[in-house]
Amino acid sequence: MTNSIRELYRERLVSLMKERLQVKHNENWDDDKRLNEDLRIDSVMIVQLIVYIETELHLSVPDNEVDPRAFSTIGTLLDFMDTLPPCEPAEMLE
């Protein structure tokens, strides 16, 4: 992933976390920030985040490829997002 795409994903991901998940974190959003320990994102919020990644970022998250390690830090989540294909038009309508 190029730096510009990664930064775009980071910007949109941070926006989702703040606006949709109501994450109250105003410090830096570096790659090493842990989703659970630092940002207080629990397992239910992770599921919501997956849905938002699909519906708002239009990336297809296959059920069988969701590895919990991908949701350890912002960096691992951005790496995971880089592997995701775009949603097919029919998937975006669901």
Side-chain angles (χ1 to χ4, degrees):
M1 171 177 357
T2 65
N3 279 343
S4 60
I5 293 173
R6 187 177 184 90
E7 289 311 310
L8 176 64
Y9 279 165
R10 181 189 315 277
E11 183 179 303
R12 300 206 48 207
L13 188 61
V14 168
S15 178
L16 287 175
M17 289 179 182
K18 285 181 172 182
E19 295 171 17
R20 299 291 189 182
L21 301 180
Q22 304 297 310
V23 173
K24 306 281 191 253
H25 181 77
N26 293 317
E27 298 175 28
N28 60 25
W29 293 81
D30 293 335
D31 282 359
D32 63 343
K33 287 293 178 198
R34 299 169 298 176
L35 299 186
N36 184 266
E37 295 87 347
D38 298 328
L39 302 177
R40 304 289 186 239
I41 295 176
D42 62 25
S43 58
V44 172
M45 294 167 82
I46 293 290
V47 172
Q48 291 174 315
L49 187 57
I50 291 169
V51 171
Y52 293 136
I53 288 170
E54 289 189 315
T55 59
E56 297 195 21
L57 303 182
H58 306 292
L59 297 173
S60 181
V61 181
D63 294 336
N64 60 347
E65 292 185 26
V66 178
D67 182 347
R69 293 174 291 189
F71 295 88
S72 298
T73 66
I74 288 179
T76 59
L77 182 51
L78 290 171
D79 291 342
F80 175 66
M81 289 170 62
D82 184 45
T83 68
L84 300 176
C87 287
E88 296 294 324
E91 290 175 327
M92 292 196 288
L93 297 176
E94 293 176 352

